[in-house]
Amino acid sequence: MVRDFQRIISIEMKQQILEKEGRLPSAVIACVGGGSNAIGAFYEFIQDRQVRLIGVEAGGRGTELGEHAARFKGGAPGVLQGTFSYVLQDADGQIALTHSVSAGLDYASIGPEHAALHDSGRAEYVSQDDAAALGAVVKLARTEGILPALESAHAVAEALRLAPTLPAREILVVNLSGRGDKDMGILARELKL
Ligand SMILES: Cc1ncc(COP(=O)(O)O)c(C=O)c1O
């Protein structure tokens, strides 16, 4: 149900990029907490195999369990809140604590449709850490005048990493899932503004 409502994101993305550029993007990049904005951004492109689908999880402040929310890198199959997916858990299957500077990515499991896209290889999942996300907020604010949510900033950070490795004509679409106004307190603290 969430996927069906959120897919309006990729319906509009596809329409707008075709109108503006006349071709599909090389990649769609979205942050992944529970997974709703990313599945919405990916869905209409799943059949377009030439479009890379890149989900960005929270790398937090370290690789130890409890320091991040990178379910694919640090988790294992398990059940949380009634869904079988990748879950951050200890050796006994107890749900692990998570950390991210963005509250919305700070979740121990991930929507099961992402688990299927991961296992089939159709989508790629990477992580960006707190520092990279904070840097991406500053960069996007300074260069474009857009204050992204800290969650969305993880996707921006991945675009900033990926773009210089690609030919200039390639198109990246980054889903800005929310505004950073709500994060001003955290930004002031973390960036020592
Ligand atoms: C702005 C924003 N983006 C992304 C997310 C992550 O959630 P989801 O992965 O379900 O889109 C949240 C969650 O609160 C959010 O507030």
Side-chain angles (χ1 to χ4, degrees):
M1 191 173 88
V2 171
R3 188 271 318 280
D4 283 354
F5 282 123
Q6 295 283 342
R7 68 192 283 204
I8 189 64
I9 301 170
S10 50
I11 291 172
E12 291 188 358
M13 267 181 186
K14 201 177 212 178
Q15 197 182 326
Q16 289 172 21
I17 203 73
L18 288 174
E19 266 168 33
K20 204 168 165 36
E21 299 292 339
R23 60 196 164 102
L24 292 175
S26 302
V28 176
I29 306 174
C31 68
V32 196
S36 58
N37 89 90
I39 203 68
F42 293 172
Y43 194 67
E44 291 297 316
F45 294 102
I46 289 175
Q47 304 306 325
D48 303 313
R49 310 289 301 185
Q50 74 274 32
V51 180
R52 289 172 66 185
L53 306 175
I54 304 175
V56 189
E57 300 186 282
R61 60 188 168 207
T63 53
E64 295 290 305
L65 199 62
E67 297 294 304
H68 62 83
R71 288 68 44 99
F72 288 123
K73 212 189 282 174
V79 175
L80 175 60
Q81 295 168 336
T83 55
F84 181 63
S85 186
Y86 284 77
V87 179
L88 289 164
Q89 55 191 302
D90 69 14
D92 299 322
Q94 296 296 333
I95 304 306
L97 293 175
T98 51
H99 164 80
S100 171
V101 72
S102 63
L105 301 189
D106 205 352
Y107 180 52
S109 186
I110 184 164
E113 199 159 342
H114 286 292
L117 289 172
H118 170 269
D119 288 359
S120 71
R122 178 62 190 95
E124 308 156 49
Y125 294 85
V126 298
S127 61
Q128 287 290 340
D129 64 16
D130 288 356
L134 288 161
V137 170
V138 173
K139 184 102 176 178
L140 198 65
R142 290 208 170 127
T143 55
E144 298 289 338
I146 296 170
L147 183 64
L150 269 166
E151 291 82 4
S152 326
H154 288 71
V156 177
E158 177 58 17
L160 290 172
R161 186 201 66 76
L162 184 60
T165 71
L166 300 173
R169 73 178 298 277
E170 302 224 5
I171 302 168
L172 301 180
V173 172
V174 181
N175 194 41
L176 291 187
S177 53
R179 297 161 52 125
D181 310 52
K182 71 175 177 59
D183 296 320
M184 282 314 293
I186 300 169
L187 291 171
R189 186 188 72 217
E190 297 292 328
L191 298 171
K192 303 190 181 15
L193 298 173

